[in-house]
Amino acid sequence: MRLSLVVAVADDGVIGDANGLPWHISEDLRRFRELTTGHVVVAGRLTHESVVARLGQPLPRRHTVVVSRRSAPAGPEVWTPGAATVAGDLDAALALAARLAADAEHPEVVVMGGAQLYAQALPQVGTVHLTRVHLEPGGDTRMPEGWLDGFTVADSRDLTTASGADVTFQTLTRG
């Protein structure tokens, strides 16, 4: 199984605030959709719940494996049968994701957050799809210092978005 991570990080290291993104950048959301559609994605419970709150459903055309220590689903508005499956920890989630990815449109499994899941999965990740958001919005969730140690930039593209935010789309690989 190939394992990648997709994340948007501000210049101050922020990736979230109050269980959401502290910015709205259409181009980043479009890139996220392009990178994850047809894949099995792995998400923490809060990340998954924030997606469902925003979209009214789990991510379409993706099967989400939700990592949660909760033994029972939070409710039908969050745990939609067939579109999301719950696993008790990252190891169980990755094992399930690997089985699901074998039958998916794309064999790569993508970790999509949150911060605790990123930290746990990072040692196993081969590729990071990173959006560097050139803002300092502040927030309550950050990536740790040195989290990209051991990765090299394979591709990089700067962009000024329609909203005026400057971003850099990068693909980094381990080694």
Side-chain angles (χ1 to χ4, degrees):
M1 167 186 70
R2 292 180 312 170
L3 184 63
S4 66
L5 184 145
V6 61
V7 63
V9 182
D11 287 341
D12 59 1
V14 167
I15 63 170
D17 189 46
N19 293 322
L21 294 174
W23 52 75
H24 180 85
I25 300 174
S26 297
E27 294 85 349
D28 178 53
L29 296 172
R30 187 175 313 114
R31 182 173 187 245
F32 174 84
R33 185 178 61 243
E34 290 168 1
L35 289 168
T36 60
T37 296
H39 293 273
V40 176
V41 295
V42 177
R45 180 184 56 82
L46 293 176
T47 298
H48 177 68
E49 288 176 355
S50 73
V51 167
V52 171
R54 186 166 188 263
L55 299 179
Q57 65 181 7
L59 291 169
R61 296 197 54 222
R62 286 151 277 204
H63 189 102
T64 304
V65 178
V66 181
V67 179
S68 176
R69 290 183 296 274
R70 288 186 175 181
S71 59
E77 71 281 0
V78 174
W79 306 98
T80 303
T85 307
V86 180
D89 59 38
L90 180 62
D91 290 337
L94 292 178
L96 174 59
R99 288 194 304 274
L100 293 169
D103 296 328
E105 187 177 333
H106 301 288
E108 182 178 28
V109 173
V110 182
V111 176
M112 58 175 273
Q116 289 179 351
L117 204 57
Y118 285 146
Q120 292 173 12
L122 200 57
Q124 301 174 61
V125 167
T127 303
V128 174
H129 302 287
L130 172 63
T131 300
R132 292 186 184 274
V133 180
H134 300 297
L135 299 170
E136 293 191 11
D140 58 16
T141 310
R142 292 177 166 15
M143 292 301 278
E145 289 292 322
W147 71 279
L148 287 173
D149 291 349
F151 287 89
T152 57
V153 176
D155 185 53
S156 185
R157 180 173 61 101
D158 294 323
L159 176 72
T160 299
T161 67
S163 65
D166 291 325
V167 299
T168 303
F169 294 141
Q170 293 184 316
T171 301
L172 298 97
T173 55
R174 189 175 297 281

